Amino acid sequence: MVEWIQSHEAALWWIAGGSVVMFIASPIVVPLLVARIPFDYFAHRKRHRKQRAGQHSVVRVALLIGKNVLGYAF
């Protein structure tokens, strides 16, 4: 393991530097992006109907559970 770290030292320094930059930039950039969201972004009067609204409730629940299990796994 030590040999691998020594042979990839430059790459690890670049990764560490990128991590520090992202750590510092994220708290600055995210609020700026959130501030640009229109105030009525989530209040649309015309919402698209969900495609699965006509399915049987058991199928919808199974799909919802499957989606959440996959999300948890990833």
Side-chain angles (χ1 to χ4, degrees):
M1 183 72 160
V2 175
E3 293 174 11
W4 184 88
I5 292 173
Q6 290 174 345
S7 65
H8 295 89
E9 186 176 356
L12 292 174
W13 279 110
W14 278 103
I15 291 170
S19 296
V20 169
V21 169
M22 294 299 283
F23 180 76
I24 293 170
S26 293
I28 296 169
V29 173
V30 170
L32 293 174
L33 293 174
V34 169
R36 293 184 56 129
I37 296 175
F39 70 94
D40 62 346
Y41 184 75
F42 295 106
H44 293 286
R45 291 185 182 186
K46 290 185 351 183
R47 293 231 178 235
H48 298 289
R49 186 177 172 156
K50 294 183 180 181
Q51 294 176 355
R52 296 186 181 103
Q55 289 180 339
H56 194 271
S57 62
V58 174
V59 174
R60 278 189 281 155
V61 169
L63 289 173
L64 181 65
I65 291 171
K67 177 190 71 144
N68 287 325
V69 167
L70 282 175
Y72 180 74
F74 288 123

